[in-house]
Amino acid sequence: MAEGRALEITDAGLQVTVQDLGRDGQAHLGVPRSGALDEPSHRLANRLVANPESAATLECLGGRVAFRTRSAATLAVTGAQVPVTVSGHAHDWGNAVTVPAGSLVELGSATTGLRAYVAVSGGIEVEPVLGSRSSDLLSGLGPPPVEEGDVLPVGPPSGRPVPVDVVRPRKSSPVLRLRLGPREDWFEPGSVEGLGG
């Protein structure tokens, strides 16, 4: 970790975890993969700040999180669409923004989607466990969920951010198809039709 580079969490929202690409290839040892649930959004956030795609990000359930930067940093927010403010000023979702030391970065509640990803230049550098910095809430491997007051170390930047993607917000709601299983008879009459809306 570069000296003084860190994020100080001031609001951990519903649930914030540190995630990277997970612990591949260890299922035979009973170790789940874990890692970012929305991997494309995780990868994109890292590309926007010139990190390797494997760098650890913050995965924010419902979007909400707030933190103060202890040094200048470049940040990007992807995944669920959320309002982003830096020291009270609105900034774009899906674009890299460079902020000075002491900035208060706040993500509001998600308006579309479920999990937002925050990448910071240099990546979140918590201690890796079995080759990954990912939180695995089921097994307890990796760092625990982020809490208010936590200070998360950040690595040195690996390059200058460049505009590498066009990020378009999702405009329509996804459609989930329902296929009844062998216990269809467990539903009350009319309840299956009610699932449609």
Side-chain angles (χ1 to χ4, degrees), residues 14-89:
L14 294 175
Q15 182 185 79
V16 177
T17 58
V18 175
Q19 298 295 343
D20 58 19
L21 296 179
R23 299 176 178 86
D24 256 345
Q26 301 189 59
H28 65 290
L29 300 174
V31 177
R33 180 178 175 275
S34 65
L37 190 62
D38 181 354
E39 192 173 298
S41 292
H42 164 87
R43 290 177 182 272
L44 173 59
N46 274 320
R47 288 198 308 269
L48 287 169
V49 299
N51 283 347
E53 292 183 0
S54 59
T57 62
L58 297 180
E59 183 180 86
C60 311
L61 180 64
R64 284 187 39 232
V65 71
F67 55 87
R68 195 168 296 281
T69 58
R70 290 196 170 177
S71 62
T74 302
L75 310 165
V77 179
T78 61
Q81 289 175 248
V82 295
V84 181
T85 62
V86 178
S87 298
H89 301 285

Side-chain angles (χ1 to χ4, degrees), residues 5 41-53 55-57 73-78 94-99 117-124 154-165:
R5 290 182 56 80
S41 292
H42 164 87
R43 290 177 182 272
L44 173 59
N46 274 320
R47 288 198 308 269
L48 287 169
V49 299
N51 283 347
E53 292 183 0
T57 62
T74 302
L75 310 165
V77 179
T78 61
N95 282 321
V97 58
T98 300
V99 302
Y117 291 83
V118 180
V120 57
S121 52
I124 307 296
V154 173
S158 56
R160 294 187 60 186
V162 292
V164 294
D165 295 275

